[in-house]
Each structure stands twice: as structure tokens, then as C-alpha cells.
């Protein structure tokens, strides 16, 4: 059975993170217009996931193209790593867009196929290269989709980037994994890191809502209210702002 370290403890490295895993609105009518499960943390994991992964594929291709240009001559091993990564990336992209057999495709992305390396192989063989770093991201997201939350945390935590989109999504992915492991305080912390990593119209309102939902589940209506109000004030045109007044009313009623 899993055990928990005391609140406030922050794992110092990926190994410790993995070990830690292993050890009313103003009227009833407004409430009834909301999805009955909207306040459940688990629902935040799946919401908008396909759109996120579609964006991931686009951004990742751009990043790999840039890295290929930047390192082509200076670091032959980096070029080799990117070439080896091509097939695994193809499997991942196919999984994102597939309507069936997604699990098989994510597994191929992780372990490889057609005689080519998978993302885990790229990490192991080329971990010091930019492609090896990015492979952590692909592997982590693939494991997240396969519901292997321990490995999702392991690989996403190893991914290091300042990218304004991939950075928040990687942090948010760790948060999603912790939600599924019912480690909600850890999940909230990673959602907050995702919020802080970058301010943009896409990831910021998404993780503000996830953080607010988990905060409510933890009984922290004050923090939830803060995040809901920020969505309304700063991201009023986002999908997350739909029915935001009802969410605000619910959090106010919980104070």
C-alpha cells in the first residue's frame, strides 16, 4: 500500500518521486446546468486531451526541426538521435489521431517497432542529446495515455524545457498522473507549476481550471475561487470560461 510523506515534502529527484508513488452556486438551477461530474478531479484529466496532444505533435515537430538545424554539424550524435526517433514519433502522432488501436500505437511509440527504437530506447541511448530529452516527454505522455501513471511521472519529470507550451503540458501531465494516483496535494502542486511555467491563452486557463477543481476536492474553496476568478478576468474568451460564473458561485458558497 502506498504511503505518503508529510505535507510540504518535495522529492529531490525523479527516483524519489517514483518511490513516493509506489509507497453551492447562488441557485440550484445554475448548479443543474453544470455537468454533474465537472467538479471531479478525474474528469479534468481527459478534457481537451486530444486537442492538447494534437498541439503537442505540431510543436514537437517544430522543435525537432529547430534542433536538427542547430545541431546538425556540431553534434553528430544529436543528429543520429533525431533520425532514430523518427519512427517512434510517427507511432505517437498516429496514436494521437487514431480512433482505435491507440494503446497499441502508444506502446509502439514507447518500445519501438519496424526494427526501430522506441522512446525509451532513445532516452537510454541518447539521453544527453536534445532528442533524448524530448523522448522523455513522448514516453511520459504515452505512459499517461496507457494509464501507467508511475512511468508517466518518471519520464515527464525527466523532461527539461523552457518551451511555453510543452513545459506547462509536461508539468500538467505529472499533475494528471498524481490525480489518478489520488495524490491530490501533489497534483495541485504540479498544476500550479504548469500555471507558473508560462502564461498563454491555451495552457494557462486549462491548468487554472484543473488546479481549481483539485483545490475544491481538497476543501480549499478560497484557492479554487482565486483560480476561477483569474480565468474569468484574464481568459474570458477561452473554453474554460464557459459557465465560469457558476463555478465561482459554487466556490463562494463553499467558503
Amino acid at each position: 500500500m502506498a504511503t505518503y510523506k508529510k505535507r510540504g515534502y518535495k522529492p529531490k529527484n525523479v527516483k524519489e518521486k517514483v518511490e513516493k508513488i509506489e509507497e453551492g452556486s447562488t441557485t440550484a438551477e445554475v448548479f443543474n446546468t453544470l455537468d454533474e461530474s465537472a467538479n471531479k478531479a478525474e474528469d479534468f484529466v481527459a478534457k481537451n486531451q486530444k486537442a492538447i496532444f494534437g498541439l503537442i505533435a505540431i510543436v514537437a515537430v517544430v522543435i525537432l526541426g529547430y534542433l536538427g538545424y542547430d545541431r546538425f554539424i556540431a553534434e553528430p550524435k544529436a543528429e543520429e538521435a533525431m533520425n532514430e526517433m523518427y519512427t517512434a514519433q510517427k507511432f505517437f502522432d498516429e496514436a494521437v489521431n487514431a480512433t482505435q488501436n491507440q494503446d497499441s500505437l502508444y506502446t509502439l511509440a514507447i518500445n519501438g517497432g519496424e526494427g526501430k527504437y522506441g522512446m525509451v530506447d532513445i532516452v537510454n541511448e541518447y539521453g544527453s542529446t536534445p532528442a533524448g530529452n524530448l523522448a522523455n516527454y513522448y514516453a511520459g505522455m504515452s505512459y499517461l495515455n496507457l494509464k501507467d501513471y508511475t512511468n508517466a511521472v518518471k519520464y515527464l519529470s525527466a523532461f527539461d524545457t523552457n518551451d511555453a507550451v510543452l513545459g506547462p503540458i509536461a508539468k500538467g501531465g505529472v499533475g494528471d498522473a498524481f490525480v489518478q494516483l489520488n495524490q491530490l496535494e501533489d497534483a495541485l502542486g504540479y498544476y500550479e507549476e504548469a500555471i507558473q511555467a508560462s502564461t498563454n491563452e491555451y495552457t494557462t486557463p486549462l491548468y487554472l481550471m484543473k488546479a481549481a477543481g483539485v483545490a475544491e476536492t481538497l476543501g480549499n474553496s478560497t484557492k479554487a475561487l482565486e483560480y476561477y476568478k483569474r480565468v474569468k478576468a484574464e481568459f474570458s474568451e477561452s473554453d474554460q470560461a464557459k459557465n465560469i460564473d457558476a463555478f465561482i458561485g459554487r466556490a463562494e458558497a463553499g467558503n
Side-chain angles (χ1 to χ4, degrees):
M1 171 164 279
T3 58
Y4 295 85
K5 296 183 175 66
K6 66 180 182 179
R7 185 173 182 178
Y9 173 82
K10 293 185 178 179
K12 299 183 177 64
N13 51 48
V14 171
K15 180 180 179 182
E16 289 193 7
K17 291 175 184 174
V18 175
E19 288 177 347
K20 183 177 181 180
I21 294 170
E22 293 168 346
E23 333 212 306
S25 167
T26 54
T27 68
E29 182 179 353
V30 174
F31 276 120
N32 290 333
T33 65
L34 299 174
D35 183 341
E36 291 181 354
S37 63
N39 64 335
K40 294 181 181 177
E42 307 90 78
D43 292 337
F44 286 104
V45 178
K47 191 175 182 181
N48 297 320
Q49 191 173 86
K50 185 166 184 177
I52 292 173
F53 288 157
L55 183 61
I56 291 168
I58 295 171
V59 174
V61 168
V62 172
I63 290 176
L64 282 176
Y66 166 77
L67 293 173
Y69 174 81
D70 188 50
R71 309 283 188 174
F72 186 80
I73 296 176
E75 296 186 20
K77 190 170 184 179
E79 178 194 356
E80 180 182 329
M82 285 183 289
N83 290 335
E84 291 287 351
M85 192 174 180
Y86 174 80
T87 301
Q89 183 186 344
K90 180 188 74 172
F91 287 132
F92 183 90
D93 293 344
E94 289 175 356
V96 169
N97 296 308
T99 57
Q100 57 185 355
N101 299 322
Q102 281 187 309
D103 286 0
S104 296
L105 289 166
Y106 281 123
T107 299
L108 286 169
I110 291 168
N111 297 323
E114 299 177 2
K116 300 295 184 180
Y117 279 163
M119 293 301 176
V120 170
D121 298 314
I122 299 296
V123 171
N124 292 337
E125 295 293 328
Y126 303 100
S128 63
T129 68
N133 179 46
L134 189 57
N136 281 306
Y137 179 86
Y138 280 118
M141 282 297 180
S142 296
Y143 278 122
L144 185 63
N145 276 273
L146 292 171
K147 299 180 173 57
D148 184 342
Y149 302 118
T150 298
N151 276 317
V153 170
K154 174 182 176 180
Y155 285 96
L156 288 174
S157 296
F159 177 57
D160 183 24
T161 184
N162 292 320
D163 184 81
V165 175
L166 294 187
I169 293 177
K171 297 289 187 185
V174 177
D176 291 344
F178 277 129
V179 165
Q180 295 300 323
L181 291 161
N182 200 33
Q183 293 185 211
L184 297 186
E185 291 191 5
D186 291 308
L188 179 58
Y190 273 95
Y191 287 148
E192 289 174 332
E193 287 187 30
I195 293 166
Q196 295 164 7
S198 172
T199 300
N200 61 74
E201 297 292 324
Y202 189 80
T203 66
T204 309
L206 175 66
Y207 293 117
L208 281 168
M209 289 297 290
K210 289 192 176 193
V214 172
E216 277 195 280
T217 302
L218 289 170
N220 191 339
S221 296
T222 299
K223 178 170 285 189
L225 181 60
E226 173 190 342
Y227 290 147
Y228 288 140
K229 285 185 174 180
R230 186 174 170 192
V231 171
K232 180 176 181 178
E234 299 178 29
F235 305 98
S236 60
E237 300 301 314
S238 68
D239 288 341
Q240 289 74 27
K242 294 176 180 177
N243 294 321
I244 194 62
D245 286 334
F247 285 101
I248 288 172
R250 186 176 64 200
E252 288 176 336
N255 281 330

